[in-house]
Amino acid sequence: MPHALTLVSHLLCPYVQRAAIALREKDVAFERVVIDLANKPDWFLKISPLGKVPLLRVPRPDGSESILFESNVICEYIEETQAGPRLHPEDPLERAEHRAWMEFGSSILADLWGYETTRDAEVFEQKRQALAAKFERVEAELGEGPFFAGQHFSLVDAVFAPIFRYFELFDDLHDSHVFDRTPKVSAWRRALRERPSVRDAVVPEYRQHLHAFLQKHEAHLLTLAGAR
Ligand SMILES: N[C@@H](CCC(=O)N[C@@H](CS)C(=O)NCC(=O)O)C(=O)O
């Protein structure tokens, strides 16, 4: 039987991973369609208002289809419609705080984009410092763990897990020292790495794909690693 929900994806996209993690946490079966962003198919351009992934294709009862875009909107929809563990706090103020930290995660991704794609040593260093400063902010928010809000996995975890995944490769290539002053963030990273929903959000060859992406951009990170 075909799955009701289809997640239109790209192999490396951290925003796609948020939605995949949320679906897996709720134990929802879904289909994944992977597209090449460097060569966007016409059907995708027709249905994606911003030309971006993720999209969630949702069938309506009348047989038509809704196309949801924007990862946080998709995550909120999953939270509101799917059974399974809650991924947002019950309390409205805490829920708003979680949404704010999800946005913070998106701003980290903007710095990470510069960090991983620049060929310029100066820009690289600016981004490295911006990332370190942002993770120090996050550090101040964390409690006992293992997750953002304690024992209970939430959408904030789904947002940060793909961010941390980048550093598995990046810090192997060249230690960023971004986490030197953030022991709680480091513990959070470890907890998320072990989570099945996080592991399964990407293909087993993710690391190789990410490495190829760095090569395509002639990233300064690879120059530092002496790997180019
Ligand atoms: N704000 C969007 C950002 C999504 C986004 O930037 N996706 C990237 C891939 S990770 C994309 O599709 N970029 C379009 C392109 O590369 O042309 C969201 O949260 O869904």
Side-chain angles (χ1 to χ4, degrees):
M1 208 183 87
H3 298 307
L5 299 176
T6 303
L7 185 63
V8 181
S9 310
H10 173 259
L11 289 174
L12 288 174
C13 180
Y15 301 96
V16 167
Q17 291 176 51
R18 295 176 180 180
I21 292 169
L23 286 164
R24 177 77 204 277
E25 286 291 331
K26 298 264 192 190
D27 207 14
V28 178
F30 63 100
E31 190 180 343
R32 234 187 220 256
V33 173
V34 176
I35 65 154
D36 178 4
L37 284 172
N39 192 10
K40 296 175 189 171
D42 283 343
W43 64 262
F44 170 74
L45 289 170
K46 275 197 195 114
I47 64 170
S48 178
L50 295 171
K52 292 180 181 179
V53 289
L55 299 176
L56 190 69
R57 304 180 77 142
V58 185
R60 290 200 192 91
D62 67 1
S64 66
E65 181 183 56
S66 172
I67 309 284
L68 296 181
F69 60 104
E70 285 299 316
S71 60
N72 285 350
V73 173
I74 292 171
C75 286
E76 299 280 350
Y77 172 75
I78 293 166
E79 168 67 350
E80 285 177 16
T81 57
Q82 304 297 323
R86 283 191 65 124
L87 299 176
H88 259 330
E90 298 259 5
D91 176 71
L93 181 57
E94 278 177 42
R95 196 156 63 239
E97 288 168 353
H98 274 225
R99 288 179 174 136
W101 285 103
M102 288 166 74
E103 284 302 323
F104 196 80
S106 296
S107 90
I108 292 180
L109 282 172
D111 290 323
L112 256 174
W113 177 259
Y115 183 80
E116 67 181 322
T117 58
T118 188
R119 300 177 192 180
D120 183 304
E122 222 170 283
V123 173
F124 180 86
E125 179 54 20
Q126 279 165 9
K127 296 295 174 189
R128 194 194 67 75
Q129 287 180 18
L131 287 165
K134 283 188 177 162
F135 284 116
E136 281 180 40
R137 284 257 174 185
V138 174
E139 178 80 8
E141 290 302 309
L142 295 177
E144 292 302 302
F147 301 120
F148 178 75
Q151 294 293 326
H152 201 82
F153 190 95
S154 72
L155 286 177
V156 183
D157 295 285
V159 166
F160 275 80
I163 293 173
F164 295 144
R165 193 194 307 277
Y166 281 108
F167 287 95
E168 304 295 322
L169 174 64
F170 293 174
D171 277 1
D172 278 355
L173 289 169
H174 172 80
D175 190 348
S176 63
H177 295 286
V178 157
F179 301 105
D180 281 3
R181 288 193 291 190
T182 58
K184 287 181 179 174
V185 173
S186 298
W188 187 24
R189 272 181 79 181
R190 287 193 291 276
L192 289 178
R193 197 167 50 204
E194 303 301 319
R195 189 86 174 170
S197 65
V198 171
R199 247 186 1 237
D200 294 349
V202 293
V203 294
E205 305 77 26
Y206 170 86
R207 193 180 165 97
Q208 290 90 308
H209 288 299
L210 185 55
H211 199 274
F213 175 88
L214 295 177
Q215 281 171 325
K216 186 174 144 200
H217 286 272
E218 298 177 12
H220 181 67
L221 188 50
L222 285 182
T223 311
L224 286 174
R228 235 173 14 95

